[in-house]
Amino acid sequence: MEKEILTDREVLLLRRKLDLLLRTGKLLMESAADTNRIERNMKRVAAFMGIPEEKLHLDIRWTMIMVNVSDETHSFSKFQKCEKHGINMTAITEVSHLSWKAIEQDYSLDQYEEELERIARKPRNYVPYLVAIGAGFACGGFCKLFGCDWIAFLFASICAFVGFRVRARCIEFGINVYMSIAIAAFVATCLAYASSFSGLSSTPYQPLLACALFIVPGVPLINFVDDMIDNHLLVGITRAANTMMMVGAMTFGIAFAMRVLVMNDIEIDHKFSELSMVPHDPYYIYAIAAAIAAMGFSMIFNIQRRLLWVVALGGIIAVCTRNFVNFELGYGPVIGSFMGSFVVSLIAVKAVHWFDVPNHVLTIPSVIPMIPGVLMYRSLFAFINLHGVIGEVTNAFANGINSALIILCISLGVAVPNIFARRYIAKDRQRYLEEELEKRRRRGKFIEW
């Protein structure tokens, strides 16, 4: 029975619950969870705390999370700022597990807070230099997918490793995130250009295409598509703006390097326009390159070590499916990329139960190797080196639109099966949640506000 007046102790307890609820949402938002996942987890935690869903009101934004609990006579609101946005797939996984364990094992608020704090303070699975090596090899894998030889693969990996460490150092020094990206792209591109003079590689220009791709904002982009489809428009638009800023900063760094190094010469333009989109290597070479790239990005995203081989397999499936649909069936790179990401996401719908992780932990690193680097760079070079010749603008726009369509289709291929599967299993999860809450009531462990 509801009381007309709450005691001071009850008010303090409720405010503590709201504080823990907001800290849960903040950890998920700052770890790059999609908005629907944040909302689901926060509602589950609120159910654990005895806050009925009909009295709970959430407003989730990129930089702020707001929660209100109210009935006919009372209303309590609290706000939490989100500032340090990164990517931490392990934290997302563990918060999801915690929200269920707290209900199933009758956690007290102190136990829940202790576990939440442990997740927030847990060191990353890979030390910074190991992550930089992973990022380097990821870009090397990209380079191999673009048709380079193994020497160019090594050059691209080294350039990306240095660029990644430069970005990390810039952020440590307090430099703006977007400026750090521009500086990292500039340094990596300069080193890749210098490597083209070594004479050791028969494909000296491919490292220029791949050396800065560790910056590609795959997670924000796919989260943006998820949020827009799920009708979280405000957060989705903010994520899209953040994605555009990151791509813009990367483009500025690359373009500035080209101007400083006078890289707009005819030979390089000619070489980039000649780069083939058709695979010349056997499928197993592309499979190896895709696995390397997927595992490298997994390390950047802080995925558990036990899942690296799973993500590598996902990358192989994605790239080989794309190449088969694109070249063997002749449907082109846009449909090929969509099918590659769609197949991986469809498999992940079942695989998440085998490995007990959220869908995006498996899908996003797996589809990143399909990013159309060659088209992106062709478009960039075409816009930088406009000379007023007829057809230049058309060519630049054609490459730019194709690369944008491919990236959008990769995002849609990941998002669509996940969203439909989520809606399909939502009723089962809700029924299970209600059963567990009923068990808690019988044990006398559940007190509703």
Side-chain angles (χ1 to χ4, degrees), residues 184-228:
F186 173 81
V187 170
T189 305
C190 288
L191 288 174
Y193 181 60
S195 74
S196 68
F197 293 101
S198 68
L200 299 173
S201 171
S202 59
T203 55
Y205 296 107
Q206 265 87 343
L208 280 165
L209 302 177
C211 64
L213 289 179
F214 62 85
I215 298 165
V216 168
V219 176
L221 182 65
I222 291 169
N223 281 343
F224 146 67
V225 174
D226 260 0
D227 287 348
M228 297 302 279

Side-chain angles (χ1 to χ4, degrees), residues 150-274:
W150 288 107
I151 298 294
F153 165 89
L154 184 61
F155 284 150
S157 300
I158 293 169
C159 297
F161 169 83
V162 175
F164 191 88
R165 287 305 303 156
V166 165
R167 184 179 69 165
R169 287 292 182 193
C170 287
I171 291 171
E172 285 171 17
F173 290 146
I175 298 173
N176 176 276
V177 172
Y178 304 116
M179 185 57 71
S180 301
I181 287 172
I183 293 168
F186 173 81
V187 170
T189 305
C190 288
L191 288 174
Y193 181 60
S195 74
S196 68
F197 293 101
S198 68
L200 299 173
S201 171
S202 59
T203 55
Y205 296 107
Q206 265 87 343
L208 280 165
L209 302 177
C211 64
L213 289 179
F214 62 85
I215 298 165
V216 168
V219 176
L221 182 65
I222 291 169
N223 281 343
F224 146 67
V225 174
D226 260 0
D227 287 348
M228 297 302 279
I229 293 174
D230 278 325
N231 211 31
H232 297 291
L233 302 182
L234 196 59
V235 188
I237 290 167
T238 310
R239 289 190 201 266
N242 179 51
T243 302
M244 293 302 295
M245 287 291 289
M246 292 175 76
V247 172
M250 181 176 76
T251 303
F252 175 80
I254 294 165
F256 191 60
M258 291 173 187
R259 288 303 183 204
V260 168
L261 300 172
V262 198
M263 286 165 58
N264 58 339
D265 55 69
I266 294 170
E267 184 185 1
I268 287 186
D269 285 351
H270 185 60
K271 290 288 183 186
F272 279 157
S273 63
E274 274 186 346

Side-chain angles (χ1 to χ4, degrees), residues 393-448:
V393 176
T394 305
N395 185 47
F397 268 106
N399 285 324
I401 290 169
N402 274 334
S403 59
L405 278 173
I406 290 170
I407 292 169
L408 180 63
C409 282
I410 290 170
S411 306
L412 284 172
V414 169
V416 171
N418 183 33
I419 287 169
F420 277 105
R422 194 164 62 214
R423 288 177 181 173
Y424 179 74
I425 62 175
K427 291 180 182 177
D428 290 338
R429 283 188 174 175
Q430 185 62 31
R431 185 164 57 248
Y432 177 73
L433 178 62
E434 288 169 3
E435 287 171 2
E436 288 298 319
L437 292 175
E438 185 57 37
K439 288 176 187 175
R440 290 193 77 201
R441 287 190 185 95
R442 288 175 193 157
R443 292 194 297 264
K445 299 287 187 178
F446 185 85
I447 300 172
E448 190 168 270

Side-chain angles (χ1 to χ4, degrees), residues 94-126:
E94 292 192 357
V95 169
S96 182
H97 291 167
L98 174 61
S99 66
W100 285 111
K101 276 200 307 184
I103 295 169
E104 294 164 351
Q105 299 178 21
D106 292 328
Y107 275 26
S108 66
L109 288 183
D110 287 337
Q111 284 176 296
Y112 181 85
E113 184 174 21
E114 187 181 323
E115 278 295 296
L116 190 67
E117 201 61 31
R118 181 191 64 78
I119 295 168
R121 291 182 177 176
K122 185 178 180 180
R124 293 179 75 89
N125 297 322
Y126 313 94

Side-chain angles (χ1 to χ4, degrees), residues 51-63:
I51 302 173
E53 190 174 325
E54 64 271 14
K55 296 179 183 177
L56 180 70
H57 311 282
L58 299 174
D59 188 7
I60 300 168
R61 303 188 186 184
W62 175 251
T63 55

